[in-house]
Amino acid sequence: MIKKTLLLAADSKRLERTISRNRLTKPLVARYVAGTTLDEAVAATRELNAKGIDVSLDLLGETVSDLSESAAATAAYVDTIHALATQSPGSTVSVKLSQLGIGLDPIVCEGHLKQLLDVGAEAGITVEVDMEHSSVGPQTLEAYRSLLPGHPNTRVAIQAAMRRTPDDLASFTDIKPRIRLVKGAFLETIDKAIVDPAEVTAEYHYLSEWALKNLPDPAFGTHDDTCIDIVKAAAERLGIDKRDFEFQMLYGVRRELQEQLAADGYRVRIYVPFGSQWYPYLMRRMAERPANLMLFLRSVISD
Ligand SMILES: Cc1cc2nc3c(=O)[nH]c(=O)nc-3n(C[C@H](O)[C@H](O)[C@H](O)COP(=O)(O)OP(=O)(O)OC[C@H]3O[C@@H](n4cnc5c(N)ncnc54)[C@H](O)[C@@H]3O)c2cc1C
């Protein structure tokens, strides 16, 4: 119930305006967001790199209402790619196609994505495509699919909770995709998604083994000990080296575990968001861990 309310609140522009202006939310935002500027994001990236941990930078912002905003976001991503190429060449960038305009004009959006893939290829920086709500999910996968032949290193997030996922994965017959397997962070209806947490974990179990067997260099985006142990055990059983797949986690979530996995010889990449449009991202993080909610509410109410 709380989770559903928070995910609904994530889409409210009115709440976004009120909460984004509230300076008391600052400490909570700082836990999950590396800063508002590219310089701050690069500084956070270098700190993680010094611990043997890779990064994927995410410029916050989604669901633009005007194509000029998507062009501006694309330009900001070009700057981000260039900064990473010189300061952290092992990093990637993560992009949301709603920010590149998929909801307004899929052709323009695909052009923006192609530009980022081209710039990334030249700079040696891989692009990862986030997977969003099912209202744009299928279009996101199609844009990814159509650019894959020219850019086979591109990674796409795949949500274990979505009922269409096994068919989506099976539909890649020519070029096998590099995926980031996640549980799924959006509010979906039961006809489209599995909603029971235990069932989502069971599906994650099945899909992670399938990905290790069938896909190149899979990434597992999770902080769940059960899912992590499943991946580790399956890799060991299948004789897959620790460096041939990676664990991905979110900035500010289970930091000790991130460092422990890296110390144990696993590849670890942290998804590091930066920018001023943190509201929907933060609300999804609250929904994943309602224990954070009291902290959040106290800060908003006492303002
Ligand atoms: C690198 C990365 C990229 C992602 N990209 C996408 C994407 O493109 N599309 C998409 O739909 N989803 C994405 N997600 C989110 C994902 O779908 C889940 O919502 C999220 O990872 C929580 O699921 P979990 O596997 O960590 O398991 P959970 O069972 O939710 O969490 C396991 C444990 O991790 C800790 N934890 C989890 N979340 C938080 C939090 N917010 N704050 C504090 N502690 C927490 C808690 O200790 C919890 O018990 C991404 C996640 C990661 C890690």
Side-chain angles (χ1 to χ4, degrees):
M1 182 62 188
I2 292 179
K3 183 173 180 173
K4 190 174 173 190
T5 308
L6 285 167
L7 288 174
L8 282 171
D11 289 331
S12 163
K13 288 286 168 200
R14 198 162 62 87
L15 272 180
E16 177 166 5
R17 276 193 297 277
T18 311
I19 291 174
S20 299
R21 278 201 294 259
N22 187 309
R23 64 200 151 71
L24 292 175
T25 55
K26 254 189 172 175
L28 196 60
V29 177
R31 174 179 169 182
Y32 289 103
V33 176
T36 49
T37 66
L38 177 56
D39 282 349
E40 287 171 306
V42 169
T45 298
R46 288 168 68 99
E47 262 179 46
L48 287 162
N49 290 165
K51 294 177 180 164
I53 293 176
D54 287 322
V55 160
S56 189
L57 276 191
D58 163 53
L59 170 65
L60 290 164
E62 46 200 81
T63 318
V64 294
S65 52
D66 188 306
L67 283 177
S68 64
E69 289 175 53
S70 65
T74 306
Y77 264 113
V78 169
D79 292 344
T80 305
I81 289 171
H82 287 146
L84 289 176
T86 54
Q87 303 196 58
S88 177
S91 293
T92 66
V93 290
S94 286
V95 301
K96 286 191 170 50
L97 295 199
S98 72
Q99 189 182 20
L100 302 191
I102 201 148
L104 299 176
D105 187 334
I107 295 174
V108 171
C109 173
E110 201 173 305
H112 289 325
L113 180 59
K114 181 170 186 315
Q115 185 188 349
L116 296 182
L117 297 183
D118 290 343
V119 172
E122 224 168 86
I125 299 292
T126 298
V127 175
E128 309 199 25
V129 180
D130 289 350
M131 189 56 65
E132 298 175 74
H133 185 260
S134 61
S135 55
V136 291
Q139 298 92 311
T140 298
L141 199 68
E142 284 324 299
Y144 169 81
R145 189 194 302 279
S146 74
L147 296 170
L148 191 58
H151 296 281
N153 278 339
T154 314
R155 200 182 281 289
V156 67
I158 294 288
Q159 298 154 327
M162 297 306 290
R163 297 190 192 280
R164 52 174 284 168
T165 284
D167 289 341
D168 283 343
L169 289 173
S171 70
F172 286 90
T173 47
D174 296 340
I175 306 172
K176 299 289 178 197
R178 289 175 81 217
I179 70 164
R180 171 206 302 152
L181 184 65
V182 298
K183 287 184 181 174
F186 294 84
L187 184 63
E188 301 284 358
T189 50
I190 196 156
D191 56 318
K192 293 203 170 69
I194 305 165
V195 290
D196 176 62
E199 281 181 46
V200 176
T201 301
E203 194 61 19
Y204 198 100
H205 184 163
Y206 166 74
L207 291 169
S208 55
E209 289 215 25
W210 188 89
L212 282 165
K213 282 185 200 150
N214 294 287
L215 300 180
D217 187 27
F220 301 98
T222 180
H223 320 91
D224 184 345
D225 289 326
T226 305
C227 296
I228 290 167
D229 288 346
I230 284 166
V231 171
K232 285 182 183 170
E236 200 173 328
R237 196 169 357 96
L238 295 165
I240 295 172
D241 191 86
K242 285 176 176 175
R243 311 299 296 176
D244 288 340
F245 61 94
E246 72 182 25
F247 288 112
Q248 297 193 351
M249 297 191 198
L250 301 176
Y251 184 76
V253 179
R254 302 203 69 186
R255 287 192 177 131
E256 339 68 55
L257 176 63
Q258 300 172 2
E259 291 179 21
Q260 188 58 53
L261 285 169
D264 291 345
Y266 292 99
R267 278 167 48 205
V268 178
R269 185 178 301 279
I270 304 307
Y271 184 102
V272 176
F274 73 100
S276 53
Q277 293 179 50
W278 45 260
Y279 172 78
Y281 179 85
L282 190 73
M283 294 309 274
R284 288 199 292 275
R285 303 295 76 87
M286 295 297 100
E288 282 154 8
R289 190 161 162 77
N292 289 336
L293 183 64
M294 283 324 288
L295 203 67
F296 179 68
L297 283 179
R298 237 180 280 136
S299 69
V300 176
I301 291 164
S302 61
D303 191 23

